[in-house]
Amino acid sequence: MISKAEVRPGNGWRYLFRGVMVGDGHRPAGKPLRAAQDEAGVPPGVWKGRGLAAVGLAAGDVVTERQAELLLGEGRHPDADRIERELLTEGKSPAQARRATVLGRPIEHNQSPETDKAKERTPWLGMDLVFRPPPTAHIAWAFGDDETRLVLELCQDISRDKTLAWLGDSVAQIRWGSGGKHRKPIRDGLIVAVFRHYESRAGKPLLHDHAVVSIRARRSDDKGTWGNLSADSMLAHIVAADTLYTLYFMEEVSARLGWAWEPREVTPGRRPVMEIAGIDQRLIGWQSTRRQQIEDALSVLTADYEERQGHPPGERAAYALGCQAADQTRPPKRTVLLSLTELRERWRDSAVRAYGADVVDRLAERARAAAAAVWARVRPVVDIALAAVDVVAVVYVMRGAFKRHHLLAEARRHLSYVLRGRPHQAGLDEQIVQTVIDDYTRPAGRRMMTADLRALYPRDTEDQAVLRPLTRKRTATPYERARLAADALRVRARPRTVAVPAASRSRPRPFHSDRKAGRVPEQTTDVDTVEQTRRTLAEAALARVQEGARERALTHGPRAQPAPVTARPPHTQQPGTQHTPGRTTGGVA
């Protein structure tokens, strides 16, 4: 997943220097950055992004303390000291030399009383995006051999860089004018400083990267002048970037290690998350001690909210309560500094004491066997027509009115669930979104759209009320209502599929638990249960539609059956598209 935080002048970039750049540890005043990183056991930060050439840097260069201070702390050229010296030698005044090193508008501009409402604003200088793989990836990285660890770190590098490239190419915009009303894509790309960390505040394995994106970027005009990124555009697409990063990471892991992925329901009735198949779920609980602390605090905050408001919290209120619970239970930073080798030995000893050496040492072996079982029962094929109705139903029920980036995030979740780590064709997510927009949406105010129920239920106006009651059913979670709505609509879509490479059909030998030795049987994610739930919802929705048809037949007599939804025009299909008869169910054969 991806979380975000802003970097502002003052305490914002000081926290970056004293904590983030040294592995979330504590850096004493006066200690050099590289010495603090060596002591904390974390690698030095590196520069990433396609905009580095504009400031004389290259991808992979080490982030020095002075470079980060100038660019991320003051919004100036990372080599401003040299530029100032040269300009002063040429006879420029100190003010002129300093102004020449500022990228775009100086931060002092916001503190000028002549600037409209500037005294009320604190400018952004960067955005800290934290890239975290799923929990089972942390476990495999912590307990696997050195080769597996390096492969997972490579998967993290590739998926993170691809996601940052997408943000720079498709999302990032330069804003100017009153209220930022004028916006254009950036010229070169983003400038990012990446810092890798190995553990959580609770001392458990947590492979994650802090990607600090500079707010400065060049405009796409001939002069290439500098300006500020539109922060609201970046923030609006964080969830879409999150799902893309997860999709890329799943594909890299499956391609390089041969592992498969399956959904895991963390909270009943909530959206499931994708995890590596075959990883013992008890290890997830061992690694996620912080989550249990947050859940305990969240239950208390939720009860207080229901007592005050008289109803359960909605999606936004639940998110705010979760952030509050995380802040309340946040432990202090560690004071004992250990190398990665020492951390891995400590983690293994802790897990072995809790669950036994067999659970830890055979982790990779069981992941490979579980992957063979997944590919034996899952057909990783994307059905564009069914994916479109699935996406529009889920987003409509959960949001009502929505924008394109909401559909894009849900389309990528759909691909993650269906493909289970198999590669997707480039642009397939955009094709699903465009199908939704073209066939199943209508305008809903300024810059918003909503589901077009007449398109979803052609020639059957009496059945258009199927979705509306689901949005008002307070006893069920939004995701439960969304899944029911999606399954109710899928029966009307005509399949059009895009094939991906065939999966292995080999069946692994089953594992036998040693009950005589007192061992607890291995717990794995039950994909069959998830599929059974989806089928039950589909059968309930179909029965409801059929019951309505029988009631109309008794009242008004028989009538013609509605025509099924037609597929999109042939020119929208990608190479490799094939038609398959019948109906698929979420990629499961």
Side-chain angles (χ1 to χ4, degrees):
M1 61 173 295
I2 300 177
S3 60
K4 45 81 180 172
E6 66 272 13
V7 178
R8 300 180 184 271
N11 293 333
W13 70 269
R14 288 192 182 94
Y15 171 77
L16 174 69
F17 277 77
R18 295 176 182 174
V20 172
M21 296 177 70
V22 291
D24 279 338
H26 177 69
R27 178 188 176 190
K31 175 166 287 191
L33 173 62
R34 193 68 191 93
Q37 291 171 336
D38 290 339
E39 185 176 332
V42 296
V46 293
W47 291 107
K48 295 286 184 179
R50 299 176 181 174
L52 291 172
V55 292
L57 296 173
D61 289 350
V62 174
V63 179
T64 66
E65 184 172 7
R66 185 56 178 164
Q67 289 173 343
E69 181 180 1
L70 289 169
L71 181 59
L72 304 173
E74 301 178 11
R76 300 168 63 196
H77 195 287
D79 199 12
D81 294 337
R82 178 189 59 80
I83 297 174
E84 282 191 5
R85 287 194 303 266
E86 293 177 353
L87 293 177
L88 290 173
T89 303
E90 295 174 2
K92 302 291 184 181
S93 67
Q96 290 175 327
R98 177 180 173 82
R99 182 64 184 89
T101 65
V102 175
L103 304 180
R105 176 180 295 176
I107 60 176
E108 294 84 0
H109 176 81
N110 293 77
Q111 301 172 358
S112 171
E114 300 177 357
T115 306
D116 182 31
K117 297 182 180 180
K119 292 182 290 185
E120 303 175 4
R121 296 199 307 265
T122 303
W124 284 37
L125 289 175
M127 184 180 302
D128 183 12
L129 303 179
V130 183
F131 290 76
R132 289 192 295 269
T136 45
H138 305 310
I139 296 169
W141 168 81
F143 298 143
D145 55 23
D146 288 337
E147 182 180 357
T148 301
R149 175 180 63 84
L150 294 175
V151 168
L152 288 172
E153 291 180 4
L154 177 62
C155 295
Q156 168 78 346
D157 292 337
I158 295 174
S159 55
R160 179 203 63 221
D161 292 346
K162 284 185 176 181
T163 305
L164 289 172
W166 175 78
L167 284 171
D169 296 341
S170 303
V171 176
Q173 295 178 322
I174 292 288
R175 60 176 177 83
W176 73 93
S178 178
K181 61 182 179 181
H182 302 296
R183 305 188 183 192
K184 284 188 177 181
I186 61 178
R187 177 175 181 174
D188 305 308
L190 300 176
I191 301 176
V192 189
V194 177
F195 304 94
R196 170 149 295 174
H197 296 173
Y198 294 137
E199 61 177 323
S200 65
R201 282 178 175 256
K204 293 302 176 65
L206 184 65
L207 174 67
H208 63 288
D209 294 331
H210 287 259
V212 185
V213 181
S214 172
I215 206 72
R216 309 297 192 184
R218 290 209 296 176
R219 295 187 175 95
S220 57
D221 52 23
D222 296 334
K223 298 181 180 179
T225 55
W226 290 85
N228 289 343
L229 293 176
S230 173
D232 55 351
S233 297
M234 296 287 288
L235 294 177
H237 288 80
I238 288 297
V239 178
D242 176 17
T243 54
L244 180 62
Y245 160 70
T246 303
L247 185 62
Y248 281 143
F249 187 82
M250 291 171 56
E251 293 177 358
E252 292 295 330
V253 170
S254 296
R256 298 176 185 276
L257 294 174
W259 297 349
W261 298 76
E262 58 187 6
R264 178 173 68 95
E265 189 180 60
V266 180
T267 304
R270 300 288 183 177
R271 193 189 301 275
V273 297
M274 301 303 294
E275 300 285 6
I276 299 174
I279 303 295
D280 196 320
Q281 289 194 22
R282 294 174 298 173
L283 294 176
I284 299 177
W286 170 85
Q287 187 263 347
S288 303
T289 55
R290 182 96 169 86
R291 171 177 289 277
Q292 186 60 47
Q293 296 172 354
I294 294 175
E295 290 180 352
D296 294 341
L298 181 60
S299 61
V300 177
L301 294 175
T302 303
D304 294 341
Y305 180 92
E306 294 179 356
E307 183 177 356
R308 292 194 312 268
Q309 303 295 334
H311 60 79
E315 185 176 1
R316 291 186 178 180
Y319 176 79
L321 292 175
C323 294
Q324 185 178 351
D327 292 339
Q328 289 181 358
T329 59
R330 193 173 192 181
K333 294 181 178 179
R334 60 183 172 87
T335 57
V336 179
L337 302 176
L338 301 174
S339 66
L340 178 58
T341 302
E342 294 171 327
L343 288 173
R344 281 162 55 85
E345 292 176 354
R346 174 178 291 188
W347 293 333
R348 185 185 182 282
D349 292 342
S350 175
V352 168
R353 287 195 304 267
Y355 306 112
D358 182 71
V359 172
V360 177
D361 295 338
R362 296 183 60 196
L363 186 144
E365 176 188 347
R366 296 186 178 186
R368 288 190 294 269
V374 170
W375 300 132
R377 68 174 181 271
V378 174
R379 184 162 59 109
V381 175
V382 178
D383 188 314
I384 298 177
L386 295 183
V389 297
D390 186 271
V391 167
V392 70
V394 171
V395 177
Y396 169 72
V397 173
M398 299 193 72
R399 304 194 65 90
F402 45 83
K403 294 184 178 180
R404 184 185 182 91
H405 59 82
H406 298 126
L407 298 172
L408 188 59
E410 191 61 37
R412 289 167 176 170
R413 291 191 189 99
H414 180 89
L415 292 177
S416 299
Y417 174 77
V418 172
L419 296 179
R420 309 292 177 93
R422 294 298 190 191
H424 72 284
Q425 293 183 3
L428 186 57
D429 50 353
E430 295 283 356
Q431 185 176 353
I432 294 173
V433 171
Q434 197 58 47
T435 302
V436 173
I437 294 176
D438 291 345
D439 298 342
Y440 303 123
T441 62
R442 60 178 177 82
R446 186 170 178 263
R447 299 180 181 178
M448 302 292 286
M449 67 184 90
T450 188
D452 186 356
L453 300 185
R454 293 184 180 275
L456 291 168
Y457 291 94
R459 303 180 188 177
D460 200 355
T461 58
E462 295 184 20
D463 276 350
Q464 289 181 14
V466 172
L467 286 182
R468 288 195 178 96
L470 293 173
T471 63
R472 306 188 189 99
K473 188 179 180 182
R474 294 279 183 180
T475 57
T477 65
Y479 187 70
E480 286 177 326
R481 301 196 300 267
R483 296 308 321 156
L484 179 59
D487 290 327
L489 293 176
R490 289 161 68 96
V491 298
R492 297 172 177 269
R494 176 175 299 172
R496 183 175 73 244
T497 59
V498 177
V500 296
S504 172
R505 293 292 175 178
S506 61
R507 293 184 177 273
R509 296 176 61 185
F511 294 107
H512 299 284
S513 59
D514 191 356
R515 298 184 181 274
K516 295 182 180 180
R519 295 176 182 172
V520 180
E522 178 187 6
Q523 299 177 5
T524 57
T525 304
D526 191 356
V527 180
D528 295 334
T529 302
V530 177
E531 295 301 333
Q532 181 60 37
T533 303
R534 291 170 63 88
R535 286 193 293 269
T536 302
L537 292 174
E539 293 171 359
L542 182 59
R544 180 173 182 175
V545 173
Q546 293 174 345
E547 182 180 356
R550 287 194 297 269
E551 292 178 355
R552 289 194 304 273
L554 294 175
T555 306
H556 306 288
R559 64 176 182 177
Q561 294 293 325
V565 178
T566 58
R568 294 185 64 199
H571 69 273
T572 62
Q573 299 181 12
Q574 298 182 355
T577 302
Q578 61 176 339
H579 297 268
T580 57
R583 171 175 173 266
T584 60
T585 56
V588 180

